[in-house]
Amino acid sequence: MVRPIAFAVEQWMDKYETTPGVLNVAETCASSISLDELTSLAKEGDPALPVSTRARLTYGPILGSTALRNSVADIHNRDSQHQLNEDNVIITQGGISANFLVLYSMLGPTDHVICVYPTYQQLYSVPESLGAKTSFWRLKAENGYIPDVNELPDLVCKNTKMIIINNPNNPTGARIPTAVLRDIVDFAKERGIIVMSDEVYRPLFHDAFEPNAELPPAITAFGYERTIVTGSMSKAWAMAGIRIGWALSPSTDIMSQLAMTRDYTTISVSQVDDQIATYALSAAVRKPLLERNVKLATRNLALIKSFVEKHSNICEWVCPNAGTTAFVLFKDKKGNPVNDVEFCLGLLEATKVFITPGSHCFGHDEDFAGYVRIGYVCETAVLEEALPKLAEYVERTLA
């Protein structure tokens, strides 16, 4: 195992997000919810938050409680040819642990991986640290950051073990349509390749509650056993602080491998966290919680869209339709991409507005120069304060 390289986006966040007075529009979680607000979403007569102060704090169920694992399975069963249940789910300490568990369990030095790009660095840096070779499946703005399945034959090798996607995508906020997901699965199935889908931002689709919306299902929905989903309570469900994530697959062999490997990293998750997550994903709370977060996302996205349109001479983007992040290209007066690291640091110093540089946190060798990631599903008041400061800064330095 090779020592991993620095995890750029996490180190950037750690270094600057606690700046005094910061206006944090780099955060990628939907605005975090309190337990008081969470319980207020339930109707009168619905079950109460089941956290018991009398229960002894043992390790509890090793793979996660039956109730939570069944709830996670349920939110991945829409339009599925496999009906998942608790046996198909393992609970982890956040989505980042789920991703590591899958990659560490499934990959080694003789393997090759195809990974969408840009995406969360863990998804390609961990395979590389395990000795696996990685090919980037580059997402293009002109295609709406939707992966082109016609490129897969040129990327695949004899030893390709896994195709890794991220749906909805971080940092672009794009989602992969159902038809494209089906084509990816068909391609992988013909060759026996595992498809891993990081779905930590699912089901935060901005049109989730619109009539006749085409909402892509989980990658496990297409009848192919060698598929794996990872997710968590952090992003779409606004509960990063309880550190609950999961990995699930229709394959009993894959689940057995994940469970065996997990013994080396995690005995169990916090029993308090498990109970809170079970409550949040219960029938009484799940829908109003998602409605809260979708409403916040769509309201705030309109503010970002207005900013981009007003400053179209110096910035451009593909408008997100899911998740919590936007990938915006800023240009100087000559139309060249800005130095995104210097831009972000200058902005933070001058205004306290905190965003993330694309080339530093999501790129190799100057890929995504000039791009920044904006996390816009914070409290609306934060965005309303940050955007005028951003506007003043770009008008002064770029326009």
Side-chain angles (χ1 to χ4, degrees):
M1 183 173 179
V2 180
R3 185 179 298 276
I5 64 173
F7 201 156
V9 70
E10 295 299 337
Q11 293 198 352
W12 181 269
M13 296 293 290
D14 290 345
K15 186 172 182 178
Y16 296 112
E17 67 181 337
T18 56
T19 301
V22 69
L23 290 167
N24 191 346
V25 286
E27 178 57 67
T28 58
C29 301
S31 179
S32 298
I33 195 168
S34 69
L35 290 182
D36 285 344
E37 187 180 0
L38 183 70
T39 55
S40 74
L41 296 175
K43 298 177 182 178
E44 185 176 353
D46 285 334
L49 183 67
V51 175
S52 170
T53 57
R54 295 183 178 181
R56 294 186 180 275
L57 297 177
T58 66
Y59 284 121
I62 298 303
L63 299 182
S65 70
T66 295
L68 179 56
R69 291 161 68 199
N70 277 324
S71 291
V72 170
D74 187 53
I75 63 176
H76 292 84
N77 272 337
R78 188 180 70 83
D79 301 327
S80 178
Q81 295 181 36
H82 286 114
Q83 287 301 300
L84 307 173
N85 57 46
E86 65 173 298
D87 294 331
N88 304 106
V89 180
I90 290 176
I91 303 301
T92 63
Q93 292 171 338
I96 196 167
S97 294
N99 287 339
F100 187 86
L101 175 65
V102 170
L103 299 171
Y104 186 67
S105 299
M106 297 289 119
L107 299 176
T110 62
D111 297 321
H112 172 255
V113 170
I114 299 169
C115 185
V116 295
Y117 178 77
T119 191
Y120 193 52
Q121 182 185 330
Q122 183 194 29
L123 297 179
Y124 53 84
S125 285
V126 170
E128 290 169 351
S129 76
L130 298 169
K133 302 297 183 183
T134 302
S135 296
F136 287 146
W137 191 4
R138 295 176 182 268
L139 308 177
K140 304 176 182 65
E142 57 267 31
N143 292 340
Y145 295 117
I146 297 170
D148 184 351
V149 180
N150 293 321
E151 296 175 351
L152 281 176
D154 292 331
L155 294 172
V156 75
C157 300
K158 290 182 179 179
N159 62 331
T160 301
K161 180 76 171 292
M162 183 180 289
I163 297 172
I164 302 172
I165 61 176
N166 176 205
N167 190 33
N169 178 260
N170 171 22
T172 68
R175 68 190 187 204
I176 306 175
T178 302
V180 176
L181 291 175
R182 183 177 291 109
D183 288 344
I184 293 170
V185 169
D186 288 346
F187 180 91
K189 188 175 183 178
E190 288 177 2
R191 296 159 177 83
I193 298 170
I194 297 169
V195 183
M196 173 188 173
S197 183
D198 178 342
E199 299 182 4
V200 72
Y201 293 93
R202 185 180 182 273
L204 190 54
F205 303 115
H206 298 168
D207 55 350
F209 296 100
E210 294 180 10
N212 303 315
E214 196 283 308
L215 305 179
I219 198 66
T220 51
F222 297 95
Y224 181 41
E225 284 205 347
R226 290 174 66 79
T227 52
I228 307 171
V229 165
T230 58
S232 85
M233 297 300 297
S234 299
K235 310 299 184 180
W237 302 105
M239 302 182 72
I242 64 170
R243 307 311 303 138
I244 290 290
W246 52 78
L248 69 153
S249 174
S251 168
T252 56
D253 289 342
I254 288 175
M255 294 307 300
S256 295
Q257 182 64 49
L258 295 184
M260 183 182 71
T261 306
R262 184 178 176 277
D263 288 339
Y264 286 95
T265 63
T266 305
I267 296 177
S268 64
V269 300
S270 158
Q271 296 307 289
V272 175
D273 290 354
D274 187 301
Q275 292 177 73
I276 294 171
T278 300
Y279 178 78
L281 296 182
S282 66
V285 180
R286 181 195 311 170
K287 183 179 178 182
L289 176 57
L290 186 59
E291 285 177 333
R292 169 209 186 252
N293 297 339
V294 168
K295 182 178 180 181
L296 186 62
T298 54
R299 180 170 66 238
N300 289 4
L301 181 61
L303 299 177
I304 299 287
K305 185 176 182 180
S306 177
F307 172 88
V308 172
E309 290 175 349
K310 183 177 180 180
H311 299 89
S312 59
N313 60 318
I314 55 172
C315 64
E316 59 187 61
W317 71 340
V318 174
C319 184
N321 55 24
T324 67
T325 61
F327 212 37
V328 182
L329 172 63
F330 282 90
K331 301 169 290 184
D332 63 20
K333 297 175 183 179
K334 297 181 180 180
N336 300 315
V338 300
N339 182 312
D340 48 282
V341 173
E342 292 181 359
F343 177 81
C344 290
L345 290 176
L347 176 67
L348 179 62
E349 181 179 2
T351 69
K352 302 298 184 183
V353 175
F354 177 49
I355 55 179
T356 307
S359 69
H360 176 68
C361 295
F362 297 97
H364 282 211
D365 301 324
E366 299 302 315
D367 287 337
F368 315 118
Y371 279 87
V372 304
R373 186 189 70 182
I374 300 175
Y376 58 87
V377 193
C378 50
E379 286 300 308
T380 303
V382 174
L383 201 60
E384 288 175 333
E385 184 177 355
L387 286 179
K389 294 178 183 291
L390 175 60
E392 186 277 331
Y393 183 77
V394 299
E395 290 163 7
R396 174 166 52 83
T397 60
L398 301 180

